[in-house]
Amino acid sequence: MKLTISRSKNATLYYVQKSYRTDSGKSSTRTVERLGTVEEVKARFGDDNTMEAVKAYIKELSEADREQNRDVLVKFSQRKMIQKGDQRCFNGGYLFLQKVYHELGLDKICRKIEKGHKNEYDLDGILSMLLYTRILYPGSKLSSLEDAKRFIEQPECDIHQVYRALSLLSMESDNIQAAVYRNSLKLGKRQDRVIYYDCTNYYFESEEEGGLRQYGYSKESRPNPIVQMGLFTDMDGIPLAFCVNPGNTAETTTLKPLEDKLRENFGLSKVVVCTDGGLASYENRKNDDVADRAFITVQSLKKLEGHLRDWALETKGWKLIDFNGKNGPELSKEEYDLGSVDSEKYRDSLFCRERWIKVGKKGNELEQRLIVTFSFKYRDYLRYVRGKQIARAENILKKGTAGKLGKGQNDPKRFIKRDSCTADGEYAQYNSYSLNQEMIDQESRFDGFYGICTDLSDDAPSIIKINGGRWIIEDCFRITKTDFEARPVFLRRDDRITAHFLTCFLALVIYKYLAKKVNRGGQHFSSDEIITTLQDMNFVKVAGEGYIPTYTRTDLTNNLHGSAGFRTDVQIVSRQKMKSIISLTKKSLSKEERAKYSYKVQK
């Protein structure tokens, strides 16, 4: 490396440059660092012997560059045995998670918590270990402690300290959620004008009730106690806040307390809350029908009053939505009759109609918009699903195994009816079962129709588009249950159960931010691809030299390195370089550092 001076009429600038060979073999130079003007150089290196100090600095850069670029020759013996207990393979995929962990300031949050408690353990080390293993190697707290030994940085805690940390994390759960939200604003604006809310439940390994572990309606139809989790996410699918309630809690009662938490702890008051029909009670809608808040919720057409249900199912008076309009989704001026349009031509089209309605008791009525949509494609899908269920119901009748009839929306036995009396109305000793054609005809009336209610005055296509984003929160639940294996829950104490879901929540936040960084430039990688790639980013340690990557370099690994600002996909990473990378993951990059480490993704 050498010092280059650029002189102009206005200023004299100093640069550090390096010579190199291009792919074609030609000699060229590139700027390694801009030292600045004469005044900036003197301010940095001092007024006395300035040039000597600059040259000494360039010499250090050259030596570091030679060390980084030197070829490494390693000798191995076919006779020498590996030392017993010597670990040679380490995972480095957690470094990308560690980068996001520190960008969200979770290390600082832990240090702030520790100031108010006299701990004999490292809360930051335990929390980070629990989060990284929840994403990469999900399991029990004991298995997490063992799996963390795969990382380049080894855990320094015992299992009893992990359980003590869980109790402390539970106490500070609300404060941690609020602090993470505030820190996340430094990474970019959150899309939290509209927030999605939903509930799910997680089952326990034991069958004993107590505290949060209660028997309730299990969405997985398991005969185990469950705990309920409510979750708020923004429009990007990044979690905002969560709550944990006993498994027998009514879902509709969980929304308001968490909204109050958002307003008090997060400072989020002006929001539009989007939920599914199961959470759309009159009380919840009324609570959100205020100046600062609004609601968008799914409306069951079957539960509407008779005249509204008839209006929703009318074939005339529908407008077509153009999602490719110049200013976004637009409604057509022309009205259509669903009974006369070509279903094949408009198979992928969406029709809608709307009106204002009032619900509730007189004097305390709630005025809201009812938006109804219709899709031929959705209609055909529902008919296909029902056809399969009817075939299963007929098979049950043939086998004579009807037994107890079901009422669930996906239970084929709902299409079976039971007659327990004779034609004369006398009591019958035996039951007869048959296909309930009346039920089939009743359900088929609603094929293709979908209802939404809101108190917003925005155009209908925009409301429909927002409501269509509810899949985001379902994806969050899928990731926690499937990828993070958040259930079954093996803990018994309520504080540790709460802390368990706090770690799942924080792990989801970290993963979502990492996925947001990686999925750019038109590329999209699934959660399974990202997590599997991080799990496979292993290194073989060469004593005295460094770490040899054993993973395959792909577009995904390129994007991971590009988002984090460091590279490990070289033939060998020196010990000093790995220390620098670890240090880099524990701080946020400045603009200058981002420019220094930026590169074009290579395919």
Side-chain angles (χ1 to χ4, degrees):
M1 296 185 186
K2 62 181 181 179
L3 177 66
T4 301
I5 304 175
S6 175
R7 293 182 174 86
S8 66
K9 295 180 180 181
N10 298 324
T12 300
L13 298 175
Y14 292 82
Y15 297 90
V16 178
Q17 289 191 330
K18 177 183 177 181
S19 300
Y20 70 99
R21 293 280 181 181
T22 64
D23 294 338
S24 61
K26 294 182 179 180
S27 177
S28 184
T29 59
R30 66 178 179 86
T31 299
V32 176
E33 184 177 352
R34 177 187 179 275
L35 299 179
T37 63
V38 176
E39 292 76 15
E40 291 174 334
V41 171
K42 288 183 177 181
R44 178 177 177 181
F45 295 96
D47 291 334
D48 299 333
N49 300 321
T50 304
M51 297 312 298
E52 285 76 4
V54 171
K55 291 178 181 178
Y57 173 69
I58 294 175
K59 184 178 180 180
E60 291 178 4
L61 291 179
S62 299
E63 291 176 353
D65 185 64
R66 282 194 294 271
E67 172 63 23
Q68 181 63 31
N69 294 318
R70 70 181 177 88
D71 292 334
V72 177
L73 299 178
V74 182
K75 291 184 178 181
F76 293 101
S77 173
Q78 300 182 62
R79 299 182 301 276
K80 191 173 182 180
M81 298 290 291
I82 298 174
Q83 291 186 3
K84 187 177 180 180
D86 183 22
Q87 184 178 356
R88 297 163 63 86
C89 186
F90 298 86
N91 176 270
Y94 80 97
L95 293 171
F96 301 94
L97 304 174
Q98 185 163 269
K99 184 70 172 61
V100 181
Y101 177 91
H102 286 270
E103 286 178 344
L104 291 170
L106 280 162
D107 57 322
K108 297 177 182 178
I109 295 173
C110 289
R111 286 195 291 270
K112 185 176 181 180
I113 293 174
E114 287 181 321
K115 289 182 179 179
H117 303 271
K118 295 181 180 179
N119 298 329
E120 297 179 355
Y121 52 82
D122 179 11
L123 182 62
D124 173 37
I126 293 176
L127 178 60
S128 60
M129 178 268 293
L130 290 174
L131 299 188
Y132 305 157
T133 53
R134 176 56 55 188
I135 298 173
L136 299 180
Y137 311 113
S140 66
K141 303 300 175 281
L142 180 60
S143 67
S144 296
L145 187 59
E146 292 298 317
D147 288 330
K149 295 178 182 178
R150 305 186 193 188
F151 300 149
I152 295 174
E153 297 171 274
Q154 301 287 297
E156 297 180 357
C157 58
D158 297 323
I159 187 62
H160 72 277
Q161 294 176 325
V162 173
Y163 284 115
R164 290 178 182 176
L166 290 178
S167 299
L168 179 55
L169 290 171
S170 175
M171 291 172 52
E172 300 289 341
S173 177
D174 291 348
N175 294 330
I176 292 173
Q177 294 175 56
V180 168
Y181 170 75
R182 290 191 294 270
N183 292 343
S184 70
L185 298 177
K186 301 175 183 178
L187 304 181
K189 180 175 174 57
R190 296 287 296 266
Q191 299 296 321
D192 52 18
R193 180 65 184 91
V194 176
I195 56 177
Y196 297 101
Y197 180 73
D198 203 353
C199 290
T200 190
N201 50 54
Y202 299 81
Y203 64 92
F204 287 82
E205 183 269 342
S206 68
E207 297 182 357
E208 182 181 353
E209 283 186 307
L212 293 172
R213 295 175 291 114
Q214 296 292 330
Y215 282 101
Y217 174 72
S218 173
K219 296 186 177 182
E220 298 173 345
S221 302
R222 288 181 176 271
N224 302 81
I226 58 175
V227 63
Q228 184 189 94
M229 179 184 183
L231 180 67
F232 268 126
T233 71
D234 63 16
M235 296 185 73
D236 289 329
I238 300 175
L240 284 168
F242 79 98
C243 62
V244 177
N245 299 295
N248 56 3
T249 304
E251 290 185 351
T252 54
T253 63
T254 64
L255 178 58
K256 187 178 182 299
L258 196 54
E259 284 183 341
D260 295 339
K261 186 188 299 184
L262 286 182
R263 184 175 60 255
E264 296 169 4
N265 297 353
F266 291 62
L268 276 175
S269 58
K270 296 182 179 180
V271 294
V272 177
V273 181
C274 187
T275 66
D276 66 10
L279 293 157
S281 66
Y282 169 80
E283 290 76 15
N284 285 340
R285 300 189 198 191
K286 195 71 176 176
N287 181 64
D288 287 329
D289 184 37
V290 293
D292 290 343
R293 295 196 303 275
F295 68 86
I296 300 174
T297 186
V298 177
Q299 172 63 54
S300 171
L301 300 182
K302 298 177 184 179
K303 296 180 180 179
L304 288 174
E305 295 181 11
H307 70 284
L308 292 177
R309 186 167 58 245
D310 293 338
W311 171 86
L313 300 180
E314 284 182 7
T315 60
K316 296 181 180 180
W318 292 82
K319 292 186 177 181
L320 185 65
I321 300 178
D322 180 11
F323 287 99
N324 299 317
K326 295 181 180 179
N327 300 318
E330 298 176 349
L331 278 177
S332 64
K333 295 181 180 180
E334 179 186 357
E335 292 189 352
Y336 294 80
D337 183 349
L338 299 180
S340 60
V341 298
D342 186 348
S343 60
E344 288 300 321
K345 179 180 178 180
Y346 292 96
R347 176 174 172 76
D348 295 323
S349 301
L350 188 66
F351 299 86
C352 87
R353 65 188 315 191
E354 59 180 309
R355 63 175 290 179
W356 285 89
I357 62 174
K358 290 183 179 181
V359 295
K361 295 181 180 179
K362 191 173 182 179
N364 192 30
E365 291 177 317
L366 171 64
E367 191 173 7
Q368 58 185 355
R369 284 168 69 198
L370 171 62
I371 302 174
V372 182
T373 65
F374 177 82
S375 166
F376 287 107
K377 189 174 183 179
Y378 183 46
R379 180 201 65 181
D380 294 342
Y381 168 74
L382 292 178
R383 288 179 177 178
Y384 171 78
V385 172
R386 187 183 303 105
K388 292 288 186 180
Q389 293 173 345
I390 293 173
R392 290 169 59 192
E394 290 174 339
N395 191 41
I396 291 173
L397 290 173
K398 288 180 180 179
K399 292 182 178 179
T401 56
K404 185 178 180 180
L405 301 184
K407 296 182 180 180
Q409 61 179 357
N410 294 316
D411 190 344
K413 289 186 178 181
R414 73 185 189 278
F415 295 130
I416 299 176
K417 65 178 181 178
R418 177 176 54 200
D419 294 320
S420 301
C421 63
T422 65
D424 298 329
E426 298 178 358
Y427 175 78
Q429 185 177 1
Y430 301 100
N431 296 321
S432 63
Y433 296 90
S434 60
L435 201 63
N436 192 340
Q437 189 61 44
E438 183 180 353
M439 173 69 76
I440 297 173
D441 295 339
Q442 181 67 20
E443 280 199 13
S444 64
R445 292 178 60 204
F446 300 92
D447 288 350
F449 295 92
Y450 189 87
I452 302 171
C453 274
T454 181
D455 59 344
L456 291 172
S457 58
D458 300 45
D459 59 280
S462 298
I463 301 297
I464 295 169
K465 185 176 181 180
I466 292 173
N467 182 73
R470 288 191 306 104
W471 66 270
I472 293 173
I473 196 167
E474 296 293 343
D475 185 60
C476 289
F477 288 144
R478 182 196 63 78
I479 291 174
T480 57
K481 290 185 176 183
T482 304
D483 297 322
F484 295 174
E485 297 182 14
R487 83 283 194 261
V489 183
F490 296 95
L491 301 166
R492 299 176 64 86
R493 287 175 41 173
D494 285 356
D495 57 345
R496 293 174 180 175
I497 292 171
T498 301
H500 167 72
F501 287 104
L502 175 63
T503 58
C504 293
F505 168 83
L506 294 175
L508 186 60
V509 173
I510 290 175
Y511 166 77
K512 284 289 185 177
Y513 267 107
L514 180 63
K516 186 177 180 181
K517 290 181 177 183
V518 171
N519 291 326
R520 288 182 175 179
Q523 292 179 306
H524 178 78
F525 302 96
S526 67
S527 59
D528 182 64
E529 289 176 309
I530 295 174
I531 293 173
T532 302
T533 297
L534 294 177
Q535 291 172 339
D536 293 341
M537 295 188 78
N538 296 319
F539 298 80
V540 173
K541 183 178 180 181
V542 179
E545 293 295 347
Y547 299 84
I548 299 176
T550 62
Y551 60 88
T552 302
R553 182 184 170 195
T554 62
D555 287 342
L556 177 52
T557 62
N558 281 341
N559 286 16
L560 283 167
H561 287 109
S563 67
F566 60 82
R567 300 204 71 108
T568 62
D569 50 355
V570 293
Q571 291 185 359
I572 185 170
V573 182
S574 67
R575 289 186 302 167
Q576 187 61 39
K577 183 61 177 178
M578 185 60 78
K579 288 181 180 179
S580 299
I581 290 174
I582 292 173
S583 177
L584 180 65
T585 63
K586 295 184 178 180
K587 68 175 183 179
S588 299
L589 288 177
S590 64
K591 291 183 178 179
E592 292 77 12
E593 287 173 322
R594 289 185 187 279
K596 179 179 178 181
Y597 285 98
S598 64
Y599 75 102
K600 293 182 179 179
V601 176
Q602 301 177 16
K603 294 186 177 180

